[in-house]
Amino acid sequence: MLAIFAGMVAMAVGYPAEGRFLPFVIGIPGTVLCAIQLAIEVDAARRDSGRGLSDDERRKLRTAGILFCWLVAFMIAILLLGFLYAMPVALFTFLRLQQREPLILSLALSAGGLVGMWFIFDVMLRLPLHGGFVIDWLFG
Amino acid sequence: MGVDLVLSSLIGLMTSPTLIGLILIAIPIGMFFGAVPGLGGKLGIVLLIPFVFGMDMTAGAVFLLAMHAVVHTGGSVPSILFGVPGTGPDAATIMDGFPMAQKGEAGRALGASLGASGLGGVIGAAVLAVLIPVLAPVVLAFSPAEFFLLAILGITFIASLSGNSLIKGMIVGAFGLMIAFVGMDPQTGVARFTFGQLFLWDGVDLITAILAMFAVPEMIALGVKGGSVSAVTRDAANYSIRDIVAGIGDVFRHWWLSLRTSIIGAVIGMIPGLGGDAASWICYGHAVQSSKTPERFGKGAVEGVIAPETANNSKEGGSLLPTLFFGVPGSSGMAILLGALIMLGIQPGPRMIVENLDLVWTLIWALVLANVLAVVIFLGVARWVGLLAFMRGGLLIPYVFVLVFLGSYLSHGAWENMLLILLFGLLGYGLKETGWPRPPFVIGLVLGPIAEVSLHQAMAIWGPAFLMRPLSLVFLALIGGSIAFYLWRRGRRRSLEIGV
């Protein structure tokens, strides 16, 4: 947070006076508050220095990391294949590999998701969904 | 404001199959998000955002509000049956609801909670309706100077009351404001903090930021937690409709308590940042204090269910007041609702009272209708509602991930927003895990542009002397008071902890 605030304040220096006024008014006190909070946390960490991560905390961190990787994978799939094609693929892969759900349940939930998305967003609401870079390139 | 407007809004709502249909769809969804522990109303609004794209602003707002209004009606189910609160504010219901279930009175406790939720929701809406004519002249007297200070007040309110640390709240609120400055500066036309990216010229998309900061961290946390939510026997979910009806009767037998706690809840809802936890616990405490037999509480007293449940639903009506008329959300859930309303083309603020009063009345009636219909719908599905607490959260994760990207893409039509989902999602999870409050970020992001434009206007009209206007001084006093109140409350909590 300290780095973000300091970086944004530094960037604002180059803007015209009216444009940098509020970024300064908010950003400079924000930087000071971040520095105070950092000092509080460094002090707390120093007092707690002997304690490392427990096995449970390590497991939680690993699972969170894996789930974040899935989020990235979902995004890549959607960008490349578009929502309608990526959704069943992503759902099925996640349910089978991450959640270890039975094959039939995974297939049913993925198909249900696809039908739901197609019906609600494409048929009912007629919203323009991202088509996917690969799909657009292949089919124009 | 005429009676004809009030009645025409009601007739318009009741005779619109679309609006009634949307309310009927929203109620089970809201109860679902309440009844599955760990989900909650905030996530409910966030996830419904993709579905309201393309909707008319009234329809979208009615749908989201109706869903959010009944979250706590469903939230009491796992609290009573399994001692697991569906949402934070439902925790007070455990005190007497769970002992009632253990004594074999689960149906009666659920009925009391259901009746109290319905009545509380209706009274909360009534309190809001009564206050509109009183507030109208006040909000219409606002100038850009007051708008600016109101925006700052909103941030200090939420920042000081949404977490254990004022500094953390203020930092996150300030961060939201800084992110609000991304894009073309309205005064000079200079692109600020855009890194040469065209999609950032219009600023960071509000919906993308909300989806990333709330939905992504909640889903990752749900995945980390794993398993089904309730680890208790399903026998607790055995009850009959007759028991539930008896419980609803209890609410009217204790009508004076129900009325008092509903009004207290609505008033607490009006104070931005106090939140649902405060409403339900204060009303529970009031029920204990005002009872002639306080020793029954904690052992299965039905009044201990009625008091927090009336407050939980009535505060929603109260918190709509600052949200709609001042643009300052009354709770973190309302902060997200505020973002969604802006996305629908509704600009909350004093102008609502002049330009959109018909919409305000439609929302009030929707609140009333949703609370009443929730009771009827709950009675119809009462046998199965308890089973929701056994649903495995992990199954929701991939659907939510897709909905998050969908909402982000649809809100702006820019695929680059999906990259922001990753960035803010990671940040949001970090904040959640380290105990930093996230609602101030949304408040900063929503109020930032209002604050900046109002400040420039106020400076152009009065110069720095705008701070000395009478209403500005009132707002400055409120800002100081809000910080002082936080410090007092924190000091009091510490002294109580030391005392214990």
Side-chain angles (χ1 to χ4, degrees):
Chain A
M1 277 289 186
L2 179 62
I4 295 172
F5 272 99
M8 290 182 91
V9 169
M11 283 175 76
V13 172
Y15 302 145
E18 280 192 321
R20 68 178 175 233
F21 180 64
L22 260 185
F24 273 5
V25 167
I26 304 296
I28 293 170
T31 311
V32 173
L33 285 173
C34 284
I36 294 169
Q37 184 62 30
L38 185 67
I40 293 169
E41 292 190 8
V42 166
D43 185 49
R46 198 179 294 142
R47 282 185 214 168
D48 226 15
S49 57
R51 188 183 158 273
L53 284 176
S54 69
D55 284 349
D56 189 46
E57 284 169 330
R58 232 177 252 128
R59 182 198 63 81
K60 282 182 179 174
L61 209 59
R62 218 184 97 238
T63 313
I66 291 169
L67 285 168
F68 190 76
C69 289
W70 274 106
L71 186 72
V72 176
F74 271 49
M75 187 198 70
I76 293 170
I78 290 166
L79 286 179
L80 297 180
L81 303 176
F83 280 100
L84 283 179
Y85 294 104
M87 186 181 190
V89 175
L91 286 181
F92 179 78
T93 320
F94 183 91
L95 291 167
R96 250 335 248 163
L97 300 181
Q98 176 65 26
Q99 295 295 111
R100 306 208 180 282
E101 297 297 339
L103 180 69
I104 301 295
L105 180 68
S106 303
L107 277 172
L109 290 174
S110 310
L114 172 65
V115 172
M117 173 177 270
W118 169 76
F119 184 72
I120 294 171
F121 294 100
D122 212 27
V123 177
M124 277 177 65
L125 299 174
R126 295 179 185 279
L127 292 170
L129 300 177
H130 177 63
F133 296 130
V134 171
I135 300 295
D136 284 350
W137 177 69
L138 281 175
F139 302 105
Chain B
M1 184 189 70
V3 178
D4 53 339
L5 179 65
V6 179
L7 289 177
S8 66
S9 303
L10 174 64
I11 293 166
L13 179 69
M14 297 297 284
T15 54
S16 165
T18 311
L19 293 181
I20 294 291
L22 285 171
I23 291 175
L24 287 172
I25 295 170
I27 290 169
I29 296 174
M31 287 166 79
F32 169 82
F33 276 100
V36 179
L39 297 186
K42 274 181 277 187
L43 192 64
I45 296 178
V46 168
L47 294 184
L48 286 188
I49 284 172
F51 296 92
V52 296
F53 282 113
M55 270 191 202
D56 156 67
M57 67 163 80
T58 307
V62 163
F63 183 55
L64 293 177
L65 185 67
M67 189 285 298
H68 192 253
V70 300
V71 163
H72 298 298
T73 309
S76 60
V77 175
S79 298
I80 291 168
L81 296 183
F82 317 114
V84 180
T87 61
D90 293 311
T93 310
I94 293 178
M95 295 297 289
D96 281 279
F98 190 47
M100 280 181 82
Q102 286 174 318
K103 287 196 297 187
E105 293 181 321
R108 188 177 160 216
L110 279 176
S113 141
L114 185 63
S117 298
L119 186 70
V122 172
I123 293 176
V127 169
L128 172 65
V130 166
L131 285 175
I132 288 177
V134 181
L135 266 175
V138 178
V139 294
L140 291 175
F142 279 23
S143 69
E146 284 79 39
F147 278 126
F148 169 69
L149 290 166
L150 191 62
I152 302 298
L153 177 67
I155 291 160
T156 54
F157 262 145
I158 302 292
S160 64
L161 294 163
S162 62
N164 291 324
S165 163
L166 178 67
I167 296 181
K168 286 179 181 175
M170 294 298 280
I171 290 172
V172 178
F175 179 60
L177 278 170
M178 292 299 276
I179 295 298
F181 301 143
V182 172
M184 296 288 278
D185 172 30
Q187 295 298 312
T188 61
V190 170
R192 294 181 300 189
F193 312 116
T194 56
F195 303 98
Q197 298 297 314
L198 203 61
F199 82 102
L200 287 176
W201 279 30
D202 285 338
V204 169
D205 179 47
L206 180 65
I207 297 306
T208 298
I210 290 175
L211 285 165
M213 289 290 272
F214 287 88
V216 170
E218 296 306 330
M219 283 303 107
I220 292 179
L222 201 61
V224 168
K225 190 177 163 203
S228 65
V229 180
S230 286
V232 290
T233 169
R234 293 186 187 203
D235 293 342
N238 286 328
Y239 44 82
S240 72
I241 295 290
R242 190 179 295 178
D243 296 334
I244 293 175
V245 173
I248 294 175
D250 282 326
V251 177
F252 295 98
R253 248 192 308 282
H254 297 281
W255 66 272
W256 181 226
L257 174 71
S258 306
L259 184 67
R260 285 196 324 263
T261 49
S262 295
I263 294 172
I264 294 171
V267 171
I268 292 171
M270 283 174 210
I271 304 167
L274 263 188
D277 290 319
S280 56
W281 283 107
I282 287 172
C283 286
Y284 181 80
H286 173 72
V288 178
Q289 277 179 340
S290 60
S291 171
K292 287 174 186 163
T293 51
E295 66 280 1
R296 290 187 302 112
F297 283 79
K299 296 168 191 161
V302 75
E303 300 97 305
V305 174
I306 293 170
E309 286 302 317
T310 45
N312 267 341
N313 281 39
S314 67
K315 76 165 178 15
E316 298 300 335
S319 60
L320 260 184
L321 192 131
T323 310
L324 289 179
F325 299 128
F326 296 105
V328 175
S331 63
S332 50
M334 283 291 159
I336 297 171
L337 185 69
L338 183 72
L341 292 179
I342 292 170
M343 180 210 75
L344 285 165
I346 300 166
Q347 187 58 59
R351 264 173 297 210
M352 285 286 286
I353 231 159
V354 181
E355 293 165 8
N356 275 323
L357 200 55
D358 52 340
L359 174 67
V360 172
W361 276 105
T362 305
L363 292 180
I364 291 172
W365 285 120
L367 203 59
V368 172
L369 201 61
N371 277 290
V372 173
L373 287 175
V375 177
V376 180
I377 290 175
F378 187 99
L379 283 172
V381 296
R383 299 290 304 152
W384 303 281
V385 169
L387 299 178
L388 282 177
F390 295 100
M391 187 176 161
R392 275 185 297 135
L395 291 178
L396 283 176
I397 296 171
Y399 293 95
V400 173
F401 279 178
V402 173
L403 280 178
V404 164
F405 286 121
L406 187 66
S408 161
Y409 177 75
L410 288 175
S411 71
H412 224 233
W415 64 266
E416 293 94 334
N417 274 341
M418 293 191 221
L419 297 170
L420 290 182
I421 288 281
L422 298 183
L423 193 70
F424 284 115
L426 196 60
L427 182 71
Y429 184 69
L431 292 177
K432 180 180 166 64
E433 284 304 296
T434 50
W436 286 55
R438 287 168 291 158
F441 172 81
V442 183
I443 310 299
L445 197 56
V446 169
L447 297 181
I450 301 170
E452 184 164 34
V453 171
S454 306
L455 176 68
H456 285 302
Q457 286 174 343
M459 289 290 281
I461 300 170
W462 297 286
F466 81 85
L467 289 169
M468 302 312 290
R469 284 167 52 81
L471 257 177
S472 300
L473 290 173
V474 171
F475 276 106
L476 286 171
L478 283 171
I479 291 167
S482 122
I483 295 170
F485 175 70
Y486 166 81
L487 294 173
W488 171 78
R489 209 168 72 141
R490 195 175 159 199
R492 192 163 161 258
R493 199 183 302 150
R494 279 202 178 156
S495 62
L496 281 173
E497 280 168 8
I498 292 164
V500 169

